[in-house]
Coordinates of all heavy atoms in Angstrom, one line a residue:
M276 N 0.8 -1.2 0.0 CA 0.0 0.0 0.0 C 0.9 1.3 0.0 O 0.6 2.2 -0.8 CB -0.9 -0.1 1.2 CG -1.9 1.1 1.3 SD -3.1 1.0 -0.1 CE -4.2 2.2 0.4
H277 N 1.9 1.3 0.9 CA 2.8 2.5 0.9 C 3.5 2.7 -0.4 O 3.7 3.8 -0.8 CB 3.8 2.3 2.1 CG 3.2 2.3 3.4 ND1 2.9 1.1 4.1 CD2 2.8 3.3 4.2 CE1 2.3 1.5 5.2 NE2 2.2 2.8 5.3
Q278 N 3.8 1.5 -1.0 CA 4.6 1.6 -2.3 C 3.7 2.3 -3.4 O 4.2 3.1 -4.1 CB 4.9 0.2 -2.7 CG 5.9 0.1 -3.9 CD 6.3 -1.3 -4.2 OE1 5.8 -2.2 -3.7 NE2 7.3 -1.4 -5.1
K279 N 2.4 2.0 -3.4 CA 1.5 2.7 -4.4 C 1.5 4.2 -4.1 O 1.5 5.0 -5.1 CB 0.2 2.0 -4.3 CG -0.9 2.6 -5.2 CD -0.5 2.4 -6.7 CE -1.7 2.9 -7.5 NZ -1.2 3.4 -8.8
I280 N 1.4 4.6 -2.9 CA 1.3 6.0 -2.6 C 2.6 6.7 -3.0 O 2.5 7.8 -3.6 CB 1.1 6.2 -1.0 CG1 -0.3 5.7 -0.7 CG2 1.2 7.6 -0.6 CD1 -0.6 5.5 0.8
I281 N 3.7 6.1 -2.7 CA 5.0 6.7 -3.0 C 5.2 6.7 -4.5 O 5.7 7.7 -5.1 CB 6.2 6.0 -2.3 CG1 6.0 6.2 -0.8 CG2 7.5 6.5 -2.8 CD1 7.0 5.3 0.0
S282 N 4.8 5.7 -5.2 CA 5.0 5.7 -6.7 C 4.1 6.7 -7.3 O 4.5 7.3 -8.3 CB 4.7 4.3 -7.3 OG 3.4 3.9 -7.1
D283 N 2.9 6.9 -6.8 CA 2.0 8.0 -7.3 C 2.6 9.3 -7.1 O 2.6 10.2 -8.0 CB 0.6 7.9 -6.6 CG -0.2 6.8 -7.1 OD1 0.1 6.2 -8.1 OD2 -1.2 6.5 -6.4
M284 N 3.3 9.6 -6.0 CA 4.0 10.8 -5.7 C 5.1 11.0 -6.7 O 5.3 12.1 -7.3 CB 4.5 10.9 -4.3 CG 3.4 11.0 -3.2 SD 4.0 10.7 -1.5 CE 5.3 12.0 -1.4
A285 N 5.8 9.9 -7.0 CA 7.0 10.0 -7.9 C 6.5 10.4 -9.3 O 7.1 11.2 -10.0 CB 7.7 8.7 -8.0
R286 N 5.3 9.8 -9.7 CA 4.7 10.1 -11.0 C 4.3 11.6 -11.1 O 4.6 12.2 -12.1 CB 3.5 9.2 -11.3 CG 3.9 7.8 -11.8 CD 2.6 7.1 -12.2 NE 3.0 5.7 -12.5 CZ 3.0 4.7 -11.5 NH1 2.6 5.0 -10.3 NH2 3.3 3.5 -11.8
K287 N 3.7 12.1 -10.0 CA 3.3 13.5 -10.0 C 4.5 14.4 -10.2 O 4.4 15.5 -10.7 CB 2.5 13.8 -8.7 CG 1.2 13.2 -8.7 CD 0.4 13.5 -7.4 CE -0.9 12.8 -7.3 NZ -1.6 13.0 -6.0
E288 N 5.7 14.0 -9.6 CA 6.9 14.8 -9.7 C 7.7 14.5 -11.0 O 8.7 15.1 -11.2 CB 7.7 14.6 -8.5 CG 7.1 15.1 -7.2 CD 7.9 15.0 -6.0 OE1 9.2 15.0 -6.1 OE2 7.4 14.9 -4.9
G289 N 7.2 13.6 -11.9 CA 7.8 13.4 -13.1 C 8.9 12.4 -13.2 O 9.7 12.4 -14.1
F290 N 9.1 11.6 -12.1 CA 10.2 10.7 -12.1 C 10.1 9.7 -13.2 O 11.1 9.2 -13.7 CB 10.2 10.0 -10.7 CG 11.0 10.7 -9.7 CD1 10.5 11.9 -9.1 CD2 12.2 10.3 -9.2 CE1 11.2 12.6 -8.2 CE2 12.9 11.0 -8.2 CZ 12.4 12.1 -7.7
D291 N 8.9 9.3 -13.6 CA 8.7 8.3 -14.6 C 9.1 8.9 -16.0 O 9.2 8.1 -17.0 CB 7.3 7.8 -14.6 CG 6.2 8.9 -14.8 OD1 6.5 10.0 -14.4 OD2 5.2 8.6 -15.4
K292 N 9.3 10.1 -16.1 CA 9.7 10.8 -17.4 C 11.2 10.9 -17.5 O 11.8 11.2 -18.6 CB 9.1 12.2 -17.5 CG 7.6 12.2 -17.3 CD 6.9 11.5 -18.5 CE 5.4 11.7 -18.4 NZ 4.6 10.5 -18.3
K293 N 12.0 10.7 -16.4 CA 13.4 10.8 -16.5 C 14.0 9.7 -17.3 O 13.6 8.5 -17.2 CB 14.0 10.8 -15.0 CG 13.7 12.0 -14.2 CD 14.3 11.9 -12.9 CE 14.0 13.1 -12.0 NZ 14.8 13.1 -10.7
T294 N 15.0 10.0 -18.1 CA 15.6 9.0 -19.0 C 16.1 7.7 -18.3 O 15.7 6.6 -18.7 CB 16.8 9.6 -19.8 OG1 16.3 10.7 -20.5 CG2 17.4 8.6 -20.8
E295 N 16.9 7.9 -17.2 CA 17.4 6.7 -16.5 C 16.3 5.9 -15.9 O 16.4 4.7 -15.8 CB 18.5 7.2 -15.5 CG 18.0 8.0 -14.4 CD 18.0 9.5 -14.6 OE1 18.1 10.0 -15.8 OE2 17.8 10.3 -13.7
V296 N 15.2 6.6 -15.4 CA 14.1 5.8 -14.8 C 13.3 5.1 -15.9 O 13.0 3.9 -15.7 CB 13.2 6.8 -14.0 CG1 12.0 6.1 -13.5 CG2 14.0 7.4 -12.9
K297 N 13.1 5.7 -17.0 CA 12.4 5.1 -18.2 C 13.2 3.9 -18.6 O 12.6 2.8 -18.9 CB 12.2 6.1 -19.3 CG 11.1 7.1 -19.0 CD 11.1 8.3 -20.0 CE 10.8 7.9 -21.4 NZ 10.7 9.0 -22.3
E298 N 14.5 4.0 -18.7 CA 15.3 2.8 -19.2 C 15.2 1.7 -18.2 O 15.0 0.5 -18.6 CB 16.8 3.2 -19.3 CG 17.0 4.1 -20.5 CD 18.5 4.7 -20.5 OE1 19.3 4.4 -19.6 OE2 18.8 5.4 -21.5
Q299 N 15.2 2.0 -16.9 CA 15.1 0.9 -15.9 C 13.7 0.3 -15.9 O 13.5 -0.9 -15.8 CB 15.4 1.5 -14.5 CG 15.6 0.5 -13.4 CD 16.8 -0.4 -13.6 OE1 17.7 -0.1 -14.3 NE2 16.8 -1.6 -13.0
L300 N 12.7 1.1 -16.1 CA 11.3 0.6 -16.2 C 11.2 -0.3 -17.4 O 10.5 -1.4 -17.3 CB 10.3 1.8 -16.3 CG 10.0 2.5 -15.0 CD1 9.2 3.8 -15.3 CD2 9.4 1.7 -13.9
Q301 N 11.8 0.1 -18.5 CA 11.7 -0.8 -19.7 C 12.4 -2.1 -19.5 O 11.9 -3.1 -19.9 CB 12.3 -0.1 -20.9 CG 12.1 -0.8 -22.2 CD 10.6 -1.0 -22.5 OE1 9.8 0.0 -22.5 NE2 10.2 -2.2 -22.8
Y302 N 13.5 -2.1 -18.8 CA 14.2 -3.3 -18.4 C 13.3 -4.2 -17.6 O 13.2 -5.4 -17.8 CB 15.5 -3.0 -17.7 CG 16.2 -4.2 -17.1 CD1 16.9 -5.1 -18.0 CD2 16.0 -4.6 -15.8 CE1 17.5 -6.2 -17.5 CE2 16.6 -5.7 -15.3 CZ 17.4 -6.6 -16.2 OH 17.9 -7.7 -15.7
I303 N 12.7 -3.6 -16.6 CA 11.8 -4.4 -15.7 C 10.6 -5.0 -16.5 O 10.3 -6.2 -16.3 CB 11.3 -3.5 -14.5 CG1 12.5 -3.1 -13.6 CG2 10.2 -4.2 -13.7 CD1 12.1 -2.0 -12.6
I304 N 10.0 -4.2 -17.4 CA 8.9 -4.7 -18.2 C 9.4 -5.9 -19.1 O 8.8 -6.9 -19.1 CB 8.3 -3.6 -19.0 CG1 7.6 -2.6 -18.1 CG2 7.4 -4.1 -20.1 CD1 7.2 -1.3 -18.8
D305 N 10.6 -5.7 -19.7 CA 11.1 -6.7 -20.6 C 11.4 -8.0 -19.8 O 11.1 -9.1 -20.3 CB 12.4 -6.2 -21.3 CG 12.1 -5.2 -22.4 OD1 10.9 -5.0 -22.7 OD2 13.0 -4.5 -22.8
D306 N 12.0 -7.9 -18.6 CA 12.3 -9.0 -17.8 C 11.0 -9.7 -17.4 O 10.9 -11.0 -17.5 CB 13.1 -8.5 -16.6 CG 13.5 -9.7 -15.7 OD1 14.3 -10.5 -16.2 OD2 13.2 -9.7 -14.5
F307 N 10.0 -9.0 -17.0 CA 8.7 -9.6 -16.6 C 8.1 -10.3 -17.8 O 7.6 -11.5 -17.6 CB 7.8 -8.5 -16.0 CG 6.5 -9.1 -15.6 CD1 6.3 -9.8 -14.4 CD2 5.4 -9.0 -16.5 CE1 5.1 -10.3 -14.1 CE2 4.1 -9.5 -16.1 CZ 4.0 -10.2 -14.9
L308 N 8.1 -9.7 -18.9 CA 7.5 -10.3 -20.1 C 8.2 -11.6 -20.5 O 7.6 -12.6 -20.9 CB 7.4 -9.3 -21.3 CG 6.4 -8.2 -21.2 CD1 6.6 -7.2 -22.3 CD2 5.0 -8.8 -21.2
A309 N 9.5 -11.6 -20.5 CA 10.3 -12.7 -20.8 C 10.0 -13.9 -19.9 O 9.8 -15.0 -20.3 CB 11.8 -12.4 -20.8
K310 N 9.9 -13.6 -18.6 CA 9.6 -14.7 -17.6 C 8.2 -15.2 -17.8 O 8.0 -16.4 -17.8 CB 9.8 -14.1 -16.2 CG 11.2 -13.9 -15.8 CD 11.4 -13.3 -14.4 CE 12.9 -13.1 -14.1 NZ 13.0 -12.4 -12.9
E311 N 7.3 -14.4 -18.0 CA 5.9 -14.8 -18.3 C 5.8 -15.7 -19.5 O 5.1 -16.7 -19.6 CB 4.9 -13.6 -18.4 CG 4.6 -13.0 -17.0 CD 3.9 -14.0 -16.1 OE1 2.9 -14.6 -16.5 OE2 4.4 -14.2 -15.0
Y312 N 6.5 -15.2 -20.6 CA 6.5 -16.0 -21.8 C 7.1 -17.4 -21.6 O 6.5 -18.4 -22.0 CB 7.3 -15.3 -22.9 CG 7.4 -16.1 -24.2 CD1 6.3 -16.1 -25.1 CD2 8.5 -16.8 -24.5 CE1 6.3 -16.8 -26.2 CE2 8.5 -17.6 -25.7 CZ 7.5 -17.6 -26.5 OH 7.5 -18.3 -27.7
I313 N 8.2 -17.5 -20.9 CA 8.8 -18.8 -20.6 C 7.8 -19.6 -19.8 O 7.7 -20.8 -20.1 CB 10.1 -18.6 -19.9 CG1 11.2 -18.0 -20.8 CG2 10.6 -19.9 -19.3 CD1 12.5 -17.6 -20.2
V314 N 7.2 -19.1 -18.8 CA 6.2 -19.9 -18.0 C 5.1 -20.3 -18.8 O 4.7 -21.5 -18.8 CB 5.8 -19.1 -16.8 CG1 4.6 -19.7 -16.1 CG2 6.9 -18.9 -15.8
Q315 N 4.4 -19.4 -19.6 CA 3.2 -19.8 -20.3 C 3.4 -20.5 -21.6 O 2.6 -21.3 -22.0 CB 2.4 -18.5 -20.4 CG 1.9 -18.0 -19.1 CD 1.0 -16.8 -19.2 OE1 0.4 -16.5 -20.3 NE2 0.9 -16.0 -18.2
A316 N 4.4 -20.1 -22.4 CA 4.6 -20.6 -23.7 C 5.6 -21.8 -23.8 O 5.6 -22.5 -24.7 CB 5.0 -19.5 -24.7
V317 N 6.4 -21.9 -22.8 CA 7.4 -23.0 -22.8 C 7.2 -24.0 -21.7 O 7.0 -25.2 -22.0 CB 8.9 -22.4 -22.8 CG1 9.9 -23.4 -22.8 CG2 9.1 -21.4 -23.9
V318 N 7.3 -23.6 -20.5 CA 7.3 -24.5 -19.3 C 6.1 -25.3 -19.3 O 6.1 -26.5 -19.1 CB 7.6 -23.7 -18.0 CG1 7.4 -24.7 -16.8 CG2 8.9 -23.1 -18.0
E319 N 4.9 -24.7 -19.5 CA 3.7 -25.4 -19.4 C 3.5 -26.5 -20.5 O 2.7 -27.4 -20.4 CB 2.5 -24.4 -19.4 CG 2.4 -23.6 -18.2 CD 1.2 -22.7 -18.1 OE1 0.5 -22.6 -19.1 OE2 1.0 -22.0 -17.1
K320 N 4.3 -26.3 -21.6 CA 4.2 -27.3 -22.7 C 5.3 -28.4 -22.6 O 5.3 -29.3 -23.4 CB 4.3 -26.6 -24.0 CG 3.1 -25.6 -24.2 CD 3.3 -24.9 -25.5 CE 2.1 -23.9 -25.7 NZ 2.2 -23.0 -26.8
V321 N 6.1 -28.3 -21.6 CA 7.2 -29.3 -21.4 C 6.7 -30.4 -20.4 O 6.2 -30.1 -19.4 CB 8.5 -28.6 -20.9 CG1 9.5 -29.7 -20.6 CG2 9.0 -27.6 -21.9
S322 N 6.9 -31.6 -20.8 CA 6.6 -32.7 -20.0 C 7.8 -33.6 -19.7 O 8.5 -34.0 -20.6 CB 5.5 -33.6 -20.6 OG 5.2 -34.7 -19.9
V323 N 8.1 -33.8 -18.4 CA 9.3 -34.5 -18.0 C 8.8 -35.6 -17.0 O 8.1 -35.3 -16.1 CB 10.3 -33.7 -17.4 CG1 11.6 -34.5 -17.0 CG2 10.7 -32.5 -18.3
T324 N 9.2 -36.8 -17.3 CA 8.8 -37.9 -16.4 C 9.7 -38.0 -15.2 O 10.8 -37.4 -15.2 CB 8.8 -39.3 -17.1 OG1 10.2 -39.6 -17.4 CG2 8.0 -39.3 -18.4
E325 N 9.2 -38.7 -14.2 CA 10.0 -38.9 -12.9 C 11.3 -39.6 -13.3 O 12.4 -39.2 -12.7 CB 9.2 -39.7 -11.9 CG 9.8 -39.9 -10.6 CD 9.8 -38.7 -9.7 OE1 8.9 -37.8 -9.9 OE2 10.6 -38.5 -8.8
N326 N 11.3 -40.6 -14.1 CA 12.5 -41.3 -14.5 C 13.5 -40.4 -15.3 O 14.7 -40.5 -15.1 CB 12.2 -42.5 -15.4 CG 11.6 -43.7 -14.5 OD1 11.9 -43.7 -13.3 ND2 10.9 -44.5 -15.1
E327 N 13.0 -39.5 -16.1 CA 13.9 -38.6 -16.8 C 14.6 -37.6 -15.8 O 15.7 -37.3 -16.0 CB 13.1 -37.8 -17.9 CG 12.7 -38.6 -19.1 CD 11.7 -37.8 -20.0 OE1 10.9 -37.0 -19.5 OE2 11.9 -38.0 -21.2
L328 N 13.8 -37.2 -14.8 CA 14.4 -36.3 -13.8 C 15.5 -37.1 -13.0 O 16.6 -36.5 -12.8 CB 13.3 -35.9 -12.8 CG 12.3 -34.8 -13.3 CD1 11.2 -34.6 -12.3 CD2 13.1 -33.5 -13.6
K329 N 15.2 -38.3 -12.6 CA 16.2 -39.1 -11.9 C 17.4 -39.4 -12.7 O 18.6 -39.3 -12.2 CB 15.6 -40.4 -11.4 CG 14.6 -40.3 -10.3 CD 14.0 -41.6 -9.9 CE 13.0 -41.5 -8.8 NZ 12.3 -42.7 -8.5
D330 N 17.2 -39.7 -14.0 CA 18.4 -39.9 -14.9 C 19.2 -38.7 -15.0 O 20.5 -38.7 -15.0 CB 17.9 -40.4 -16.3 CG 17.4 -41.8 -16.2 OD1 17.6 -42.5 -15.2 OD2 16.7 -42.2 -17.2
F331 N 18.6 -37.5 -15.2 CA 19.3 -36.3 -15.3 C 20.1 -36.0 -14.1 O 21.3 -35.7 -14.1 CB 18.4 -35.1 -15.7 CG 19.1 -33.8 -15.8 CD1 19.8 -33.5 -17.0 CD2 19.2 -32.9 -14.8 CE1 20.5 -32.3 -17.2 CE2 19.9 -31.7 -14.9 CZ 20.6 -31.4 -16.1
Y332 N 19.4 -36.1 -12.9 CA 20.1 -35.9 -11.6 C 21.3 -36.8 -11.4 O 22.4 -36.4 -11.1 CB 19.1 -36.1 -10.5 CG 19.8 -36.0 -9.1 CD1 20.2 -34.7 -8.6 CD2 20.1 -37.1 -8.4 CE1 20.9 -34.6 -7.4 CE2 20.7 -37.0 -7.2 CZ 21.1 -35.8 -6.7 OH 21.8 -35.7 -5.5
N333 N 21.1 -38.1 -11.7 CA 22.2 -39.1 -11.5 C 23.3 -38.8 -12.4 O 24.5 -39.1 -12.1 CB 21.7 -40.5 -11.6 CG 20.8 -40.9 -10.5 OD1 21.0 -40.5 -9.4 ND2 19.8 -41.8 -10.8
G334 N 23.1 -38.3 -13.6 CA 24.1 -38.0 -14.6 C 24.8 -36.6 -14.3 O 25.8 -36.3 -15.0
N335 N 24.3 -35.8 -13.4 CA 24.8 -34.5 -13.2 C 24.8 -34.1 -11.7 O 24.7 -32.9 -11.4 CB 23.9 -33.4 -13.9 CG 23.9 -33.6 -15.4 OD1 24.8 -33.2 -16.1 ND2 22.8 -34.3 -15.9
K336 N 25.1 -35.1 -10.9 CA 25.1 -34.8 -9.4 C 26.1 -33.7 -9.0 O 25.8 -32.9 -8.1 CB 25.5 -36.1 -8.7 CG 24.4 -37.1 -8.6 CD 24.8 -38.3 -7.7 CE 23.6 -39.2 -7.7 NZ 23.9 -40.4 -6.8
E337 N 27.2 -33.5 -9.7 CA 28.1 -32.5 -9.4 C 27.5 -31.1 -9.5 O 28.0 -30.2 -8.8 CB 29.4 -32.6 -10.2 CG 29.3 -32.2 -11.7 CD 28.6 -33.3 -12.6 OE1 28.4 -34.4 -12.1 OE2 28.4 -33.0 -13.7
K338 N 26.5 -30.9 -10.3 CA 25.9 -29.6 -10.5 C 24.9 -29.3 -9.4 O 24.5 -28.2 -9.2 CB 25.1 -29.6 -11.8 CG 26.0 -29.7 -13.1 CD 25.1 -29.7 -14.3 CE 26.0 -29.8 -15.5 NZ 25.3 -29.8 -16.8
F339 N 24.6 -30.3 -8.6 CA 23.6 -30.1 -7.5 C 24.2 -30.2 -6.1 O 23.5 -30.3 -5.1 CB 22.5 -31.2 -7.6 CG 21.7 -31.1 -8.9 CD1 22.0 -31.9 -9.9 CD2 20.7 -30.2 -9.0 CE1 21.3 -31.8 -11.1 CE2 20.0 -30.1 -10.2 CZ 20.3 -30.9 -11.2
T340 N 25.6 -30.1 -6.0 CA 26.2 -30.1 -4.8 C 26.9 -28.8 -4.5 O 27.3 -28.1 -5.5 CB 27.3 -31.2 -4.7 OG1 28.2 -31.0 -5.7 CG2 26.6 -32.6 -4.8
T341 N 27.1 -28.4 -3.3 CA 27.8 -27.2 -2.9 C 29.1 -27.7 -2.3 O 29.1 -28.5 -1.4 CB 27.0 -26.4 -1.9 OG1 25.7 -26.1 -2.4 CG2 27.7 -25.1 -1.5
P342 N 30.2 -27.1 -2.7 CA 31.5 -27.5 -2.2 C 31.5 -27.2 -0.7 O 30.9 -26.2 -0.2 CB 32.5 -26.7 -2.9 CG 31.8 -26.0 -4.0 CD 30.3 -26.1 -3.8
E343 N 32.3 -27.9 0.1 CA 32.4 -27.7 1.5 C 33.0 -26.3 1.7 O 33.9 -25.9 1.0 CB 33.3 -28.7 2.2 CG 33.4 -28.6 3.6 CD 34.3 -29.7 4.3 OE1 34.5 -30.7 3.6 OE2 34.6 -29.5 5.4
Q344 N 32.4 -25.6 2.7 CA 32.8 -24.2 2.9 C 33.1 -24.0 4.4 O 32.5 -24.7 5.2 CB 31.7 -23.2 2.5 CG 31.4 -23.2 1.0 CD 30.3 -22.3 0.7 OE1 29.8 -21.5 1.5 NE2 30.0 -22.3 -0.6
V345 N 34.0 -23.1 4.7 CA 34.4 -22.8 6.1 C 34.2 -21.3 6.2 O 34.7 -20.6 5.4 CB 35.8 -23.3 6.4 CG1 36.2 -22.8 7.8 CG2 36.0 -24.8 6.2
K346 N 33.6 -20.9 7.3 CA 33.5 -19.5 7.6 C 34.3 -19.1 8.8 O 34.1 -19.7 9.9 CB 32.0 -19.1 7.8 CG 31.8 -17.7 8.0 CD 30.3 -17.4 8.2 CE 30.1 -15.9 8.4 NZ 28.7 -15.6 8.6
A347 N 35.2 -18.2 8.7 CA 36.0 -17.8 9.8 C 35.4 -16.5 10.4 O 35.1 -15.5 9.7 CB 37.4 -17.5 9.4
S348 N 35.1 -16.5 11.7 CA 34.5 -15.3 12.3 C 35.6 -14.5 12.9 O 35.4 -13.3 13.2 CB 33.4 -15.7 13.3 OG 34.0 -16.5 14.3
H349 N 36.7 -15.1 13.2 CA 37.9 -14.4 13.8 C 39.2 -14.9 13.2 O 39.3 -16.1 13.0 CB 37.9 -14.6 15.3 CG 36.8 -14.0 16.1 ND1 35.6 -14.6 16.2 CD2 36.7 -12.8 16.7 CE1 34.8 -13.8 16.9 NE2 35.4 -12.7 17.2
I350 N 40.1 -14.0 13.0 CA 41.4 -14.4 12.5 C 42.4 -13.9 13.6 O 42.4 -12.6 13.8 CB 41.7 -13.9 11.1 CG1 40.7 -14.5 10.1 CG2 43.2 -14.2 10.7 CD1 40.9 -13.9 8.7
L351 N 43.1 -14.7 14.2 CA 44.1 -14.3 15.2 C 45.4 -14.1 14.6 O 45.9 -15.0 13.8 CB 44.1 -15.3 16.4 CG 42.8 -15.6 17.1 CD1 43.0 -16.7 18.1 CD2 42.3 -14.3 17.7
I352 N 46.1 -13.1 14.9 CA 47.4 -12.8 14.3 C 48.4 -12.6 15.5 O 48.2 -11.8 16.4 CB 47.4 -11.5 13.5 CG1 46.4 -11.6 12.4 CG2 48.8 -11.2 13.0 CD1 46.2 -10.3 11.7
K353 N 49.4 -13.5 15.5 CA 50.4 -13.5 16.6 C 51.4 -12.3 16.4 O 51.9 -12.1 15.3 CB 51.2 -14.8 16.6 CG 52.2 -14.8 17.7 CD 52.9 -16.2 17.8 CE 53.9 -16.2 18.9 NZ 54.6 -17.5 18.9
V354 N 51.5 -11.5 17.4 CA 52.5 -10.4 17.4 C 53.4 -10.6 18.7 O 52.9 -10.9 19.7 CB 51.7 -9.1 17.5 CG1 52.7 -7.9 17.5 CG2 50.8 -8.9 16.3
N355 N 54.6 -10.4 18.5 CA 55.5 -10.5 19.6 C 55.2 -9.6 20.7 O 54.8 -8.4 20.5 CB 57.0 -10.3 19.1 CG 57.4 -11.4 18.2 OD1 57.0 -12.6 18.3 ND2 58.3 -11.1 17.3
F356 N 55.5 -10.0 22.0 CA 55.3 -9.2 23.1 C 56.2 -8.0 23.0 O 57.4 -8.1 22.6 CB 55.6 -10.0 24.4 CG 55.4 -9.2 25.7 CD1 54.1 -9.0 26.1 CD2 56.5 -8.6 26.3 CE1 53.9 -8.2 27.3 CE2 56.3 -7.9 27.5 CZ 55.0 -7.7 28.0
G357 N 55.7 -6.8 23.3 CA 56.5 -5.6 23.2 C 56.6 -5.0 21.8 O 57.4 -4.1 21.6
A358 N 55.8 -5.5 20.9 CA 55.9 -5.0 19.5 C 55.4 -3.6 19.5 O 54.5 -3.2 20.3 CB 55.0 -5.9 18.6
T359 N 56.0 -2.8 18.6 CA 55.5 -1.4 18.4 C 54.2 -1.4 17.7 O 53.7 -2.4 17.2 CB 56.5 -0.6 17.5 OG1 56.5 -1.2 16.2 CG2 58.0 -0.7 18.1
E360 N 53.5 -0.2 17.8 CA 52.2 -0.1 17.1 C 52.3 -0.4 15.6 O 51.4 -1.0 15.0 CB 51.6 1.3 17.3 CG 51.2 1.6 18.8 CD 50.1 0.6 19.2 OE1 49.2 0.3 18.5 OE2 50.3 0.0 20.3
D361 N 53.4 0.0 15.0 CA 53.6 -0.2 13.6 C 53.7 -1.7 13.3 O 53.2 -2.3 12.3 CB 54.8 0.5 13.0 CG 55.0 0.4 11.5 OD1 54.0 0.7 10.8 OD2 56.1 0.0 11.1
E362 N 54.5 -2.4 14.2 CA 54.6 -3.9 14.0 C 53.3 -4.6 14.2 O 53.1 -5.6 13.6 CB 55.7 -4.4 15.0 CG 57.1 -3.9 14.7 CD 58.1 -4.2 15.8 OE1 57.7 -4.2 17.0 OE2 59.3 -4.5 15.4
K363 N 52.5 -4.0 15.1 CA 51.1 -4.7 15.3 C 50.2 -4.4 14.1 O 49.4 -5.3 13.8 CB 50.5 -4.1 16.6 CG 51.2 -4.4 17.8 CD 50.5 -3.8 19.0 CE 51.3 -4.0 20.3 NZ 50.7 -3.3 21.5
R364 N 50.4 -3.3 13.4 CA 49.5 -3.0 12.3 C 49.9 -3.7 11.0 O 49.1 -4.0 10.1 CB 49.5 -1.5 12.0 CG 48.6 -0.7 13.0 CD 48.4 0.7 12.5 NE 49.7 1.5 12.7 CZ 49.9 2.2 13.8 NH1 49.1 2.3 14.8 NH2 51.1 2.9 13.8
R365 N 51.2 -4.0 10.8 CA 51.7 -4.7 9.6 C 51.0 -5.9 9.2 O 50.5 -6.1 8.1 CB 53.2 -4.9 9.7 CG 54.0 -4.0 8.8 CD 55.5 -4.3 8.8 NE 56.1 -3.3 9.7 CZ 57.1 -3.5 10.4 NH1 57.7 -4.7 10.5 NH2 57.6 -2.5 11.2
P366 N 50.8 -6.9 10.1 CA 50.1 -8.1 9.7 C 48.6 -7.9 9.3 O 48.1 -8.5 8.3 CB 50.1 -9.0 11.0 CG 51.2 -8.5 11.8 CD 51.3 -7.0 11.5
K367 N 48.0 -6.9 9.9 CA 46.6 -6.6 9.6 C 46.6 -6.0 8.2 O 45.7 -6.3 7.4 CB 46.0 -5.7 10.6 CG 44.5 -5.4 10.4 CD 43.9 -4.6 11.5 CE 42.5 -4.3 11.2 NZ 41.8 -3.5 12.2
K368 N 47.5 -5.1 7.9 CA 47.6 -4.5 6.6 C 47.8 -5.6 5.5 O 47.2 -5.5 4.4 CB 48.7 -3.4 6.5 CG 48.4 -2.2 7.2 CD 49.5 -1.2 7.0 CE 49.3 0.1 7.8 NZ 50.5 1.0 7.7
K369 N 48.7 -6.5 5.8 CA 49.0 -7.6 4.8 C 47.7 -8.4 4.6 O 47.4 -8.8 3.5 CB 50.1 -8.4 5.3 CG 50.6 -9.5 4.4 CD 51.8 -10.2 4.9 CE 52.3 -11.2 3.9 NZ 53.4 -12.0 4.4
L370 N 47.0 -8.7 5.7 CA 45.8 -9.5 5.6 C 44.7 -8.8 4.8 O 44.1 -9.4 3.9 CB 45.3 -9.9 7.0 CG 44.1 -10.8 7.0 CD1 44.4 -12.1 6.4 CD2 43.6 -10.9 8.5
N371 N 44.6 -7.5 5.0 CA 43.6 -6.7 4.3 C 43.9 -6.6 2.8 O 43.0 -6.7 2.0 CB 43.5 -5.3 4.9 CG 42.7 -5.3 6.2 OD1 41.9 -6.2 6.5 ND2 43.0 -4.3 7.0
S372 N 45.2 -6.6 2.5 CA 45.6 -6.5 1.1 C 45.2 -7.8 0.4 O 44.9 -7.8 -0.8 CB 47.1 -6.2 0.9 OG 47.9 -7.2 1.3
C373 N 45.3 -8.9 1.1 CA 44.9 -10.2 0.5 C 43.4 -10.2 0.2 O 43.0 -10.8 -0.8 CB 45.2 -11.4 1.4 SG 47.0 -11.7 1.7
W374 N 42.6 -9.7 1.1 CA 41.1 -9.7 0.9 C 40.7 -8.7 -0.1 O 39.7 -8.9 -0.8 CB 40.4 -9.4 2.2 CG 40.5 -10.5 3.2 CD1 41.2 -10.4 4.4 CD2 40.0 -11.8 3.2 NE1 41.1 -11.6 5.1 CE2 40.4 -12.5 4.4 CE3 39.2 -12.5 2.3 CZ2 40.0 -13.8 4.6 CZ3 38.9 -13.8 2.6 CH2 39.3 -14.4 3.7
N375 N 41.3 -7.6 -0.2 CA 40.9 -6.5 -1.1 C 41.6 -6.6 -2.5 O 41.4 -5.7 -3.3 CB 41.2 -5.2 -0.5 CG 40.3 -5.0 0.8 OD1 39.2 -5.5 0.9 ND2 40.9 -4.4 1.8
G376 N 42.3 -7.6 -2.8 CA 42.9 -7.8 -4.1 C 44.3 -7.3 -4.2 O 44.9 -7.2 -5.2

């Protein structure tokens, strides 16, 4: 409901006439139409049996698995006792450069 009110305000202020907004709206319309076409003109006319599904799955199991992942919530960096502030920052800078490319 709020979305309709805000979009009406945007139209009154001419946002729908701005070039970049019109382009984005056209993209959204095209995307919606393409999806609807696929659902109504393609998917509904396709028939796949249970055995065909099983055969496809068994022949392509690697496509349906997610590789094992590990998530680190903390990374501990050892710094010698009595290290200077600069010596303490160096490992963090090196680590950050690895993550940021």
